Amino acid sequence: MKRLQELMKEIHDLTLKIEEQYPELYRHLDENPATISRGEHSQIDTKNFSDYLESLKALLAHVANHQREIATE
């Protein structure tokens, strides 16, 4: 599994890409239900960051596919 620093860098880079290329999506990232867990007994680890990174990738892929579909109509 990737190291925590590598995951954090990937999350940062992907978030920056979303901010620059999909500003309408970036405004809603904090509303994404797939966030890093928080709570009394939660623990931040590479699994949490990896899951969050994958959710960002899936969200971006969904938006990109949707925009392509609209462009071809």
Side-chain angles (χ1 to χ4, degrees), residues 4-21:
L4 189 58
Q5 289 177 332
E6 293 170 335
L7 290 167
M8 289 174 63
K9 180 175 179 359
E10 280 190 61
I11 290 170
H12 173 266
D13 293 347
L14 188 56
T15 304
L16 186 59
K17 178 181 179 177
I18 292 170
E19 180 181 22
E20 292 172 348
Q21 296 179 10

Side-chain angles (χ1 to χ4, degrees), residues 33-67:
T35 59
I36 297 172
S37 65
R38 289 181 252 168
E40 184 178 329
H41 299 290
S42 67
Q43 180 176 334
I44 296 177
D45 58 16
T46 55
K47 172 93 171 90
N48 295 115
F49 277 87
S50 183
D51 290 348
Y52 182 63
L53 177 60
E54 291 307 312
S55 73
L56 287 176
K57 288 178 180 178
L59 183 62
L60 183 57
H62 176 76
V63 170
N65 287 336
H66 181 69
Q67 287 184 343

